[in-house]
Amino acid sequence: MSNNAEVGLYRRTLIKYLTHLFTNSLIDMNILITGSNGQLGSEIRAIASQFSNYNFFFTDIAELDLSNYKQVELYFEENTISVCVNCAAYTAVDKAEDEQDIAMLVNCDVVGNLAKVCSNNNALLIHVSTDYVFDGTHYKPYEETDPTAPNSYYGLTKLKGEEAVFANTDKAVVIRTSWLYSSYGNNFVKTMIRLGKERDELGVVVDQIGTPTHAADLAMAIMKIVQKNGNNNIKEIYHYSNEGVISWYDFAIAIMKEANISCRVNAIESKDFPAKANRPFYSVLNKAKLKNDFQIEVPYWLDSLKVMIKQIG
Ligand SMILES: NC(=O)c1ccc[n+]([C@@H]2O[C@H](COP(=O)([O-])OP(=O)(O)OC[C@H]3O[C@@H](n4cnc5c(N)ncnc54)[C@H](OP(=O)(O)O)[C@@H]3O)[C@@H](O)[C@H]2O)c1
């Protein structure tokens, strides 16, 4: 072979090798989003294209039923999953009082099994929990280390789910959030808009205090955690909601105003609005730990509400 031909062959091989290396390094990780037809899962799907270095797998119960352990195990192996964001849950707070078995299965047993599979595959699990793990008797925003004491069966199942995570893996982040809403799925904002259009006045509870969370903001915070910790060992609980403190009554007033609905909102007490499940009277979450660890700026609740209402038109 002449010198020129040898150089040509060498060049072509090198280019081929570099191209292979480059394309593979573009895909950093395979990320599984479970329960992805729900509010939070849909918001992660909506921003996925901004993270082109990750390969996303979006599943809900039809594609991957998390209560089927063997199926989950196989899915992780076949798709070399490195990160799993668990957005799947049983979220019907009042119904959970009657459907205790299914609520505990989805929010605890399934979560423990998912954590085990993550551990076996050295994958990071990001699991979402709730402010309802607290009893709501606090007077200042709850920190991650504050004692838990759920006052509903849903809250209990979510607390057991957190425990199941840490009992089965050493590589996990649990994020507690509150009053989640989104342009996807059903939630308080959409219910208020619908009722506000149907009625002249509405009663909304004024003695439950917390902070709404636009699921789009939480989705972005989760992706920041993935970016920083996708490959690392981490075992932490974090709190995330939007910024600020309000009652459901204040929230309803703001929704009517932003959506240009003239329905009058009346303040009522929880005792006059009987619900099957108890809810915490105060469940504001302290977000300092997450803001410090990930340099995340948390939007003010009203700014995020405006964004969402604009989205749904
Ligand atoms: N919504 C809130 O106000 C709120 C507040 C605080 C914390 N959180 C927590 O935030 C997380 C996300 O909530 P979200 O409002 O986005 O929930 P969501 O809209 O109710 O979505 C949950 C999804 O999980 C699916 N799912 C249920 N069982 C499953 C299974 N066995 N396998 C696979 N998927 C399953 C559901 O399917 P089906 O619809 O078919 O059941 C649904 O698509 C949850 O962990 C929730 O507990 C929510």
Side-chain angles (χ1 to χ4, degrees):
M1 205 186 284
S2 73
N3 267 0
N4 277 353
E6 263 181 39
V7 170
L9 182 66
Y10 173 73
R11 269 201 191 138
R12 279 197 300 280
T13 313
L14 187 67
I15 288 168
K16 215 168 153 186
Y17 172 71
L18 287 176
T19 312
H20 173 79
L21 208 65
F22 182 64
T23 24
N24 278 337
S25 69
L26 280 180
I27 300 293
D28 273 355
M29 279 186 287
N30 290 341
I31 304 186
L32 169 63
I33 314 293
T34 57
S36 68
N37 292 346
Q39 299 191 80
L40 179 59
S42 300
E43 293 287 3
I44 297 179
R45 194 194 295 264
I47 59 169
S49 62
Q50 295 176 36
F51 301 89
S52 52
N53 51 333
Y54 300 136
N55 196 16
F56 287 87
F57 294 76
F58 291 97
T59 64
D60 207 283
I61 194 159
E63 303 78 33
L64 182 61
D65 180 354
L66 296 178
S67 62
N68 184 337
Y69 185 78
K70 283 270 158 242
Q71 197 192 355
V72 177
E73 235 180 359
L74 197 66
Y75 197 93
F76 269 70
E77 278 163 26
E78 281 178 351
N79 299 298
T80 25
I81 300 299
S82 309
V83 177
C84 172
V85 183
N86 183 28
C87 304
Y90 180 103
T91 53
V93 177
D94 289 312
K95 254 171 119 182
E97 299 294 322
D98 293 327
E99 298 185 347
Q100 299 196 345
D101 290 350
I102 176 79
M104 192 60 88
L105 174 82
V106 178
N107 290 347
C108 173
D109 304 349
V110 148
V111 176
N113 284 337
L114 187 60
K116 203 179 294 172
V117 175
C118 283
S119 177
N120 292 343
N121 289 272
N122 194 30
L124 169 69
L125 173 61
I126 299 185
H127 174 69
V128 185
S129 190
T130 172
D131 55 332
Y132 284 12
V133 297
F134 297 113
D135 64 6
T137 55
H138 238 231
Y139 59 92
K140 66 182 176 64
Y142 280 99
E143 293 177 27
E144 289 79 356
T145 47
D146 282 323
T148 50
N151 56 11
S152 65
Y153 197 77
Y154 166 77
L156 177 71
T157 64
K158 294 297 287 185
L159 179 61
K160 294 281 173 203
E162 294 182 2
E163 290 166 3
V165 167
F166 295 122
N168 286 287
T169 180
D170 290 329
K171 200 171 170 181
V173 171
V174 166
I175 306 177
R176 295 184 185 134
T177 190
S178 61
W179 301 17
L180 205 61
Y181 68 91
S182 160
S183 50
Y184 304 98
N186 293 317
N187 49 63
F188 183 79
V189 179
K190 288 190 179 174
T191 304
M192 285 300 109
I193 290 176
R194 178 174 51 79
L195 293 178
K197 284 178 180 168
E198 288 168 10
R199 301 181 192 175
D200 294 332
E201 55 184 314
L202 270 179
V204 180
V205 291
V206 72
D207 54 2
Q208 288 174 30
I209 311 295
T211 317
T213 306
H214 188 190
D217 298 332
L218 176 58
M220 202 46 104
I222 287 174
M223 286 314 299
K224 287 210 170 136
I225 295 174
V226 170
Q227 281 182 308
K228 193 166 173 201
N229 279 291
N231 289 315
N232 300 339
N233 282 330
I234 180 171
K235 200 174 180 183
E236 296 287 348
I237 297 181
Y238 287 100
H239 287 173
Y240 185 93
S241 68
N242 280 129
E243 213 58 274
V245 178
I246 52 169
S247 70
W248 288 108
Y249 163 78
D250 298 305
F251 197 25
I253 296 256
I255 293 164
M256 298 305 169
K257 184 165 177 243
E258 294 307 322
N260 275 322
I261 297 170
S262 58
C263 175
R264 181 188 161 86
V265 180
N266 300 314
I268 60 168
E269 288 184 61
S270 301
K271 68 176 172 52
D272 299 323
F273 187 74
K276 194 105 195 177
N278 291 323
R279 280 145 172 95
F281 280 109
Y282 179 93
S283 64
V284 179
L285 298 173
N286 181 320
K287 299 163 280 289
K289 182 178 168 190
L290 183 127
K291 289 194 274 188
N292 290 338
D293 285 4
F294 300 102
Q295 285 75 52
I296 287 172
E297 273 187 38
V298 179
Y300 180 55
W301 69 269
L302 183 56
D303 295 336
S304 292
L305 175 66
K306 287 179 182 178
V307 171
M308 182 271 195
I309 287 187
K310 206 168 169 192
Q311 274 170 356
I312 61 173

